[in-house]
Amino acid sequence: VKKENENLKGCITFEKQDCSGKQEAVIADILDEMYAHEPGYETVVQGYLYRLLSGLCNETAYHPALQTVRIRKDSRLAEAVMSYLRENRRRISRKELTERFHYNEDYLSRVVRKYTGVSLKNYMEDLLLEEAEHLLLTEEISVNDIMERLGYENETFFYRLFYKRHRMTPMEYRKKVGK
């Protein structure tokens, strides 16, 4: 919930009315799925999120309240950088980011790490590998075309990243997971 003042943001909090702990268990399940990062985890997490929101809407268990919080400037910057990376889904140089956002590349990297827990480079690689996974499963294009679309010029580097994440090549992933 956004306010007129860009430094303020509204958020909904949920005060616990009972002590069942069901929602905490759902949150733990979400984190487990995201950490395991198994094929199809996005769909499983989405189901857990529906369950979580449904439970939070139970007025006998939780009391929702709107609160206003002050947003830090670096938080808005991190959100803008991450949004830009998600929208573009291609390799973007740190130089391009500094020209786009008018901040030093080290500062941008520190801000993204602060809010994601991973480096700017790793955040971008994760996004690109997720996009590669999606393209492998939904489109009938070659791995080289996928690499080109995502901005990878070094085939060995791409295959190494992909293998490190999945313990299989992109083609093996397409055959195994795409069934």
Side-chain angles (χ1 to χ4, degrees):
V1 180
K2 290 195 175 188
K3 297 285 184 182
E4 296 79 36
N5 182 337
E6 67 179 31
N7 293 321
L8 298 177
K9 190 183 239 184
C11 65
I12 300 172
T13 60
F14 296 89
E15 256 183 61
K16 194 190 294 191
Q17 301 294 334
D18 70 8
C19 296
S20 68
K22 289 180 184 176
Q23 299 317 104
E24 289 84 353
V26 174
I27 291 170
D29 290 339
I30 290 170
L31 293 173
D32 288 344
E33 285 293 329
M34 292 180 75
Y35 181 73
H37 216 280
E38 298 282 329
Y41 80 97
E42 297 98 338
T43 306
V44 175
V45 168
Q46 188 176 28
Y48 281 132
L49 286 172
Y50 287 134
R51 184 178 292 169
L52 175 66
L53 291 173
S54 174
L56 291 174
C57 290
N58 178 348
E59 292 181 17
T60 59
Y62 292 90
H63 176 69
L66 182 62
Q67 290 189 346
T68 303
V69 293
R70 183 163 300 282
I71 302 171
R72 297 178 49 131
K73 183 174 119 180
D74 61 353
S75 169
R76 284 195 315 271
L77 177 60
E79 191 174 309
V81 170
M82 293 183 298
S83 177
Y84 183 75
L85 294 173
R86 282 190 306 269
E87 288 169 12
N88 285 284
R89 299 287 178 155
R90 62 175 171 78
R91 287 182 65 81
I92 298 172
S93 70
R94 292 174 86 182
K95 182 181 179 196
E96 182 180 339
L97 288 175
T98 60
E99 290 171 358
R100 168 93 167 101
F101 293 100
H102 308 289
Y103 283 95
N104 173 296
E105 61 187 55
D106 291 329
Y107 179 69
L108 287 175
S109 190
R110 279 195 310 273
V111 167
V112 169
R113 181 184 293 276
K114 178 179 178 181
Y115 290 96
T116 65
V118 297
S119 70
L120 178 59
K121 177 185 169 194
N122 287 345
Y123 182 81
M124 188 176 0
E125 294 300 341
D126 284 345
L127 283 177
L128 294 177
L129 286 173
E130 286 175 13
E131 183 67 10
E133 294 160 11
H134 174 74
L135 293 172
L136 283 166
L137 299 177
T138 60
E139 297 196 20
E140 295 291 326
I141 58 176
S142 71
V143 175
N144 284 340
D145 288 343
I146 291 172
M147 287 174 38
E148 185 177 312
R149 186 184 293 187
L150 298 178
Y152 287 98
E153 295 173 4
N154 185 328
E155 185 176 336
T156 305
F157 178 70
F158 175 75
Y159 273 82
R160 189 179 308 133
L161 282 175
F162 199 92
Y163 191 85
K164 182 178 178 186
R165 183 173 178 141
H166 294 288
R167 297 291 182 239
M168 61 181 91
T169 68
M171 288 308 292
E172 291 170 339
Y173 180 86
R174 178 179 268 168
K175 289 176 186 171
K176 262 189 171 173
V177 179
K179 289 184 177 181

